[in-house]
Amino acid sequence: MKNIKTDVLVIGAGPAGTVAASIIKQAGYSVVIVEKLKFPRFVIGESLLPRCMEALQEAGFLDAVKARGFQEKFGAKFVKDGMICDYFFADQFTKGWDWTWQVPRAEFDQILANCCEEMGIPVNYETEVTGISFSGSDSVTSVKDADGNYSTIEARYIVDGSGYGRVIPKLFNLDRPSSLPSRKALFAHLRDDKRLLAHEPNRITIVTHQPGVWIWVIPFSSGITSVGYVGDPSFFEEFPGSDADVFDALIKKEPYLSERFSGAEKIFEPRVLQSWSSTTEKFYGEGFVLTGNVTEFLDPVFSSGVTLASVSSQLAAHLVVRKLQGGEVDWDKEYMDIMMQGVNTFRTYVNCWYDGTLDKIFFAREPQLDIKKMICSVLAGYVWDLENPFVKDHFHQVKKLARILDMKQMMEEKGKS
Ligand code: FAD
């Protein structure tokens, strides 16, 4: 790659990078993406939420994604000890999208990157950012290509959408530990030949295996299904052997999965991810903004990752455009506070998932339908709708509801005895 100049450099061609790149380009600015890996590349994060459709639409990606025929997703299904809790996005409090997709990310991310190229945004694959120096808001970024050659990119603004690469936080010491405990995931893609034997075979299902350990089952339209176990790292230590042995043992042990998946062909050997939660001191600085996973990633349980990535990029892209036009931006108020509102809403639901509070709500004998709609909107990713009490006052509302359900159950049990 030659030394180049551009208005905006975007680091990373995941959903965060491509959504930001497209919106900035559509505003008339030159944009260059650098991506460390060759695409298609594997990345986890296969279940989307309806809210991300708004960002994909504004970025101009929806038609291309629709054309691929990915598995549509209309809700979320939670299973525990034979009990089922269903959420359907059509039945939610917030007005918005009521469906989305389940996607193998290698293909999905490739489509978004191709769309960027079609818009005239160069996507430089196998090009890794190795250093950045700022002079005011202007920057010079050093990149290394696949042949080991170095070059520079001069930019007026940088959007860092480098996901788990965390480029700017690492270079400028902005990384901070997460408040969430470390968890581990063991997962694989399986050929799902017995899918049609299952009830609602194409729906994403979250299965509680035991307290604190849950499983995702994400069927793709290709007939492959992603299956992953998530829990405290110590849970996995109870099982001897390789990751593949542990994965097989876990499939056999879970009644909800064993018949469908025992002996299923693995498309790749089971992989492990661990300690993914991370946060960053600041989501912006002079001449740069962080979007997507680089800002904060909590936990996979409510599939919030791609939605937070695309929504943060949608918002950040507009603010970058305003800066390039010479306008003022209050990054705390107009970006960081808004993103933290969404992240903190999800944080409550993640914590309440692991401490058992949500179990009481999801599997209550008489779910309160109005409240269910409000929680459904959170599960659809509408975590910025402050009209929704379960967003605005998320922690207290969830805890209060669980207490009421506890009291009801106690009174019922007293009544019986
Ligand atoms: P990424 O998708 O990671 O893209 C960043 C890109 O930047 C990468 O392609 C990378 O190669 C590139 N890059 C990195 N360093 C450099 C560098 N130095 N130079 C140039 N390029 C660089 N989310 C969901 O929405 N749904 C789910 O079901 C879900 N399940 C998950 C399960 C697990 C176990 C985990 C850990 C996460 C899950 N997530 C899920 C989260 C999801 O993986 C991320 O939130 C999402 O991929 C973030 O998108 P992004 O664009 O910010 O980053």
Side-chain angles (χ1 to χ4, degrees):
M1 195 178 145
K2 289 186 191 139
N3 294 341
I4 51 174
K5 270 188 178 182
T6 181
D7 289 322
V8 178
L9 168 65
V10 172
I11 308 174
T18 50
V19 165
S22 165
I23 294 174
I24 295 167
K25 175 77 180 173
Q26 288 177 58
Y29 292 94
S30 59
V31 182
V32 168
I33 299 179
V34 288
E35 165 55 54
K36 182 174 162 182
L37 299 177
K38 189 175 172 187
F39 272 28
R41 57 91 174 88
F42 179 85
V43 65
I44 197 68
E46 298 151 337
S47 152
L48 309 184
L49 300 182
R51 173 61 181 88
C52 83
M53 304 294 263
E54 293 181 21
L56 297 178
Q57 187 167 37
E58 188 179 353
F61 299 158
L62 265 189
D63 289 344
V65 182
K66 268 186 194 159
R68 184 57 71 98
F70 289 123
Q71 176 60 52
E72 290 170 342
K73 168 181 169 184
F74 298 97
K77 180 172 170 182
F78 297 88
V79 174
K80 184 188 175 191
D81 299 335
M83 295 180 288
I84 291 179
C85 164
D86 262 331
Y87 281 95
F88 291 99
F89 299 135
D91 206 8
Q92 59 158 313
F93 176 87
T94 305
K95 284 200 174 53
W97 283 79
D98 59 8
W99 67 280
T100 185
W101 287 288
Q102 294 152 201
V103 296
R105 284 284 303 284
E107 280 176 57
F108 176 77
D109 289 17
Q110 177 80 77
I111 294 172
L112 308 194
N114 289 349
C115 286
C116 284
E117 285 190 308
E118 281 161 23
M119 289 173 187
I121 302 167
V123 183
N124 298 282
Y125 293 106
E126 298 185 89
T127 304
E128 179 183 0
V129 170
T130 56
I132 303 174
S133 64
F134 285 98
S135 160
S137 63
D138 292 336
S139 57
V140 180
T141 297
S142 307
V143 295
K144 186 170 85 171
D145 68 19
D147 300 323
N149 299 319
Y150 283 84
S151 52
T152 58
I153 302 173
E154 287 179 50
R156 294 169 64 197
Y157 228 90
I158 297 180
V159 176
D160 182 0
S162 61
Y164 302 103
R166 312 187 62 73
V167 170
I168 287 187
K170 279 187 183 155
L171 287 175
F172 296 95
N173 192 27
L174 301 175
D175 264 337
R176 294 294 171 266
S178 165
S179 59
L180 293 172
S182 163
R183 295 200 168 91
K184 172 171 168 174
L186 176 65
F187 58 93
H189 284 179
L190 303 177
R191 195 168 301 285
D192 195 359
D193 288 338
K194 295 188 214 150
R195 187 184 288 188
L196 288 178
L197 299 178
H199 177 58
E200 299 187 303
N202 297 323
R203 283 192 72 188
I204 177 173
T205 308
I206 305 298
V207 183
T208 300
H209 178 67
Q210 65 181 56
V213 180
W214 59 275
I215 307 155
W216 75 69
V217 179
I218 306 177
F220 302 136
S221 56
S222 59
I224 307 293
T225 292
S226 174
V227 177
Y229 275 72
V230 181
D232 189 276
S234 61
F235 163 75
F236 297 89
E237 287 162 14
E238 293 167 22
F239 300 88
S242 64
D243 289 339
D245 296 334
V246 176
F247 187 83
D248 289 343
L250 287 172
I251 294 281
K252 281 210 183 92
K253 195 167 172 271
E254 169 52 52
Y256 192 82
L257 301 187
S258 57
E259 196 188 345
R260 178 166 167 186
F261 295 112
S262 286
E265 180 197 341
K266 296 183 186 73
I267 304 303
F268 55 76
E269 284 303 293
R271 299 180 187 189
V272 167
L273 281 172
Q274 199 166 337
S275 308
W276 46 71
S277 306
S278 54
T279 188
T280 307
E281 188 176 287
K282 267 194 333 175
F283 294 179
Y284 66 91
E286 199 175 356
F288 74 87
V289 60
L290 314 179
T291 68
N293 251 39
V294 191
T295 56
E296 169 130 18
F297 177 65
L298 299 168
D299 190 272
V301 66
F302 295 120
S303 307
S304 59
V306 172
T307 293
L308 290 172
S310 52
V311 174
S312 59
S313 288
Q314 188 185 15
L315 181 57
H318 288 287
L319 299 174
V320 168
V321 167
R322 199 197 301 161
K323 282 297 281 184
L324 293 173
Q325 289 167 339
E328 283 306 310
V329 172
D330 181 341
W331 285 98
D332 275 329
K333 214 166 131 206
E334 296 181 81
Y335 185 59
M336 193 146 167
D337 291 354
I338 295 173
M339 287 320 300
M340 286 314 292
Q341 146 70 41
V343 169
N344 286 334
T345 303
F346 274 120
R347 192 190 315 275
T348 287
Y349 287 78
V350 166
N351 285 332
C352 288
W353 168 260
Y354 284 102
D355 74 9
T357 307
L358 281 185
D359 267 7
K360 295 178 190 169
I361 296 173
F362 285 1
F363 300 107
R365 243 172 280 160
E366 292 166 42
Q368 298 172 10
L369 293 180
D370 286 350
I371 290 180
K372 198 169 174 188
K373 287 181 180 191
M374 295 172 188
I375 294 176
C376 187
S377 285
V378 173
L379 302 183
Y382 284 94
V383 286
W384 292 276
D385 176 10
L386 297 178
E387 300 284 307
N388 181 351
F390 278 75
V391 168
K392 186 164 195 266
D393 193 18
H394 42 90
F395 181 79
H396 293 114
Q397 291 291 348
V398 171
K399 289 287 181 188
K400 190 169 86 184
L401 177 58
R403 274 199 307 275
I404 292 169
L405 291 167
D406 267 347
M407 269 163 45
K408 264 190 164 178
Q409 197 183 336
M410 265 166 47
M411 279 157 63
E412 271 173 31
E413 278 162 15
K414 255 191 186 169
K416 276 187 208 154
S417 60

